[in-house]
Amino acid sequence: MATINTNIVTTITITLIMTICITPSFQQQQQPNGRAFTTIYAFGDSFTDTGNTESSSGPNAFTHVSSPPYGRTFFHHPTNRYSDGRLVIDFVAQSLNLPFLPPYRNKKSNMSHGTNFAVAGATSIKHSFFVKNNMTLNLTPQSLGTELRWFNEFLESKGCKDLKNTPKECEAVFKDALIWAGEIGANDYAYSLGSSIPGTMIQQLAVKSVAGFLQVTIL
């Protein structure tokens, strides 16, 4: 499986946006090298998910997202977004004159301008931790680590293994790319409610997981 090599970022500019206000100035947002972003790779939970928990292939607990009133104010039909319209990541894509990000699990979608790895219900801590401590309903076994694994699979499908051996392939993936890390961690606390695991442990493990994700993707 392909892995994200930290050396990639020494020659390819990747911008990570953790929190952003959609303002007119962002519509002209460019990288330091002057080129506009042409690709977005997004991570997170239901605040960013654009269809990775589609009910036709996802758990029964999420069938409601494929029915009205979801999607009624903009798309005028359900799009498996956890909103009656667009999400923040949709506004980001529009501001950059890019198409809406397709969910990674929809293999038939056009991913030439990026893809969305975010999945509703995802935790920052590995799912196995919650299973081990009997703290999960097993609705969505995905975590931030799962999304990173999907990203590695995506890189491999594009021929990007590491900068040393596949420099051209990796540059094609990361050139002019925006990596968006959306909200993540709320589900970790939700799973821990009523358990004997202290909140401080959840906090420490969640922060460690997110920090590790950031180190892999931007360092």
Side-chain angles (χ1 to χ4, degrees):
M1 182 177 70
T3 56
I4 301 176
N5 192 304
T6 56
N7 292 327
I8 291 176
V9 190
T10 61
T11 57
I12 302 172
T13 301
I14 300 176
T15 299
L16 174 77
I17 298 183
M18 293 297 294
T19 306
I20 190 166
C21 294
I22 306 303
T23 62
S25 61
F26 182 71
Q27 296 179 5
Q28 304 299 323
Q29 183 70 39
Q30 293 185 327
Q31 298 186 70
N33 58 18
R35 292 193 298 263
F37 295 112
T38 60
T39 308
I40 303 175
Y41 303 116
F43 303 83
D45 57 18
S46 59
F47 286 85
T48 307
D49 186 0
T50 56
N52 280 316
T53 50
E54 182 179 1
S55 63
S56 62
S57 60
N60 292 333
F62 293 98
T63 55
H64 62 279
V65 79
S66 297
S67 304
Y70 290 89
R72 68 179 182 179
T73 64
F74 180 81
F75 300 100
H76 306 298
H77 62 85
T79 62
N80 298 297
R81 286 169 170 77
Y82 291 76
S83 169
D84 61 355
R86 291 163 288 180
L87 304 174
V88 172
I89 190 62
D90 294 318
F91 287 101
V92 172
Q94 286 185 305
S95 296
L96 295 172
N97 295 316
L98 296 177
F100 294 130
L101 283 183
Y104 173 70
R105 298 178 78 177
N106 182 357
K107 302 299 184 179
K108 296 181 180 180
S109 60
N110 183 350
M111 300 183 185
S112 59
H113 290 285
T115 187
N116 193 338
F117 301 96
V119 56
T123 56
S124 58
I125 303 171
K126 289 183 178 180
H127 183 69
S128 57
F129 169 81
F130 298 98
V131 173
K132 179 181 178 180
N133 290 281
N134 195 29
M135 297 164 57
T136 176
L137 298 176
N138 205 34
L139 297 178
T140 51
Q142 292 83 14
S143 66
L144 194 56
T146 305
E147 297 177 24
L148 190 58
R149 175 171 56 81
W150 289 347
F151 189 32
N152 283 328
E153 292 174 356
F154 175 80
L155 294 178
E156 189 174 56
S157 72
K158 298 298 182 180
C160 174
K161 296 182 178 180
D162 57 67
L163 185 60
K164 180 179 179 180
N165 297 308
T166 56
K168 292 183 179 179
E169 290 82 356
C170 291
E171 182 177 5
V173 173
F174 288 103
K175 183 180 180 181
D176 304 328
L178 168 67
I179 293 184
W180 176 274
E183 194 278 337
I184 191 76
N187 295 307
D188 298 74
Y189 287 98
Y191 277 143
S192 67
L193 291 176
S195 73
S196 60
I197 303 298
T200 52
M201 177 181 290
I202 298 297
Q203 181 184 43
Q204 292 171 357
L205 291 175
V207 170
K208 181 179 180 180
S209 177
V210 173
F213 169 81
L214 297 180
Q215 289 178 339
V216 170
T217 53
I218 68 174
L219 295 182

